[in-house]
Amino acid sequence: QSVLTQPPSASGTPGQRVTISCSGSSSNIGSHTVNWYQQLPGTAPKLLIYNNNQRPSGVPDRFSGSKSGTSASLAISGLQSEDEADYYCAAWDDSLDRVFGGGTKLTVL
Amino acid sequence: QVQLQESGPGLVKPSQTLSLTCTVSGGSFSSGSYYWTWIRQPAGRGLEWIGRIFTSGSTNYNPSLKSRVTMSVDTSKNQFSLMLSSVTAADTAVYYCARGYSGYDWGLDYWGQGTLVTVSS
């Protein structure tokens, strides 16, 4: 059971906007910034969002992040077939532990 | 271009010690702007952080694994290593090494391809 809670699945059609939620507590998301990772099938995860809403160079601006209180969200606009992947949120916890969400499998219909 | 490559046995017997090494090429391995981390992923499941090490030798470990984990770093070889003792079948997973970067709020910007470690007799 993961410390951060994500819905196990999400879906959308091409061109649509989808959001993925990540719920934590005061000891992790409530006190620390959130990262998001994208894991395409059979590959290592890739950093999508850092510091709640910042994108590393090379990440399309279709991906955006937000945080409020003890929850965070990843939004993907203009959904494309290549966005089909697993998405993970992550944050530091006050125990000096890096915690992840259980992952959300995004299906592009 | 920064590259990370995991190496080590793909099969470990129960109760023995799992040992993996990550070799880093490109970039500045010893910079204080980075830390080096291990993460694992059991088949069909999510990511689990094992711990991190700075090239100063400072470490932080997942509290649930702390009693069994040791990480070390060899700056002369641009390598860092993981040792996990007393393994059981529950430790079977793909093990990734990755780099945390201060410029990305310590997000993990480079990853190895991952190596499958199976614990079985």
Side-chain angles (χ1 to χ4, degrees), chain B:
Chain B
Q1 180 74 344
V2 177
Q3 291 185 316
L4 290 81
Q5 179 67 58
E6 304 91 350
S7 60
L11 181 64
V12 182
K13 289 181 167 44
S15 80
Q16 293 191 341
T17 296
L18 177 161
S19 295
L20 295 174
T21 296
C22 184
T23 302
V24 181
S25 58
S28 178
F29 181 73
S30 296
S31 169
S33 296
Y34 309 125
Y35 68 76
W36 306 95
T37 189
W38 290 96
I39 288 166
R40 69 182 183 179
Q41 184 174 34
R45 298 179 61 184
L47 303 169
E48 180 179 32
W49 184 75
I50 300 172
R52 68 171 175 178
I53 187 167
F54 291 85
T55 52
S56 64
S58 175
T59 56
N60 299 101
Y61 300 141
N62 183 326
S64 68
L65 298 171
K66 189 173 184 177
S67 63
R68 300 194 291 131
V69 172
T70 302
M71 292 184 183
S72 59
V73 63
D74 185 339
T75 55
S76 67
K77 296 181 179 179
N78 282 13
Q79 293 178 335
F80 63 104
S81 298
L82 167 70
M83 294 181 66
L84 181 65
S85 64
S86 304
V87 297
T88 69
D91 295 309
T92 294
V94 173
Y95 285 74
Y96 294 101
C97 59
R99 185 183 85 169
Y101 174 40
S102 63
Y104 288 155
D105 194 38
W106 299 111
L108 306 178
D109 63 342
Y110 284 98
W111 295 64
Q113 64 185 20
T115 187
L116 174 62
V117 178
T118 301
V119 178
S120 175
S121 55

Side-chain angles (χ1 to χ4, degrees), chain A residues 38-45 81-88 105-106, chain B residues 41 96:
Chain A
Q38 176 194 57
Q39 186 175 31
L40 297 171
T43 70
S81 58
E82 55 261 40
D83 298 332
E84 189 159 289
D86 294 327
Y87 293 85
Y88 294 91
K105 183 176 183 62
L106 175 63
Chain B
Q41 184 174 34
Y96 294 101

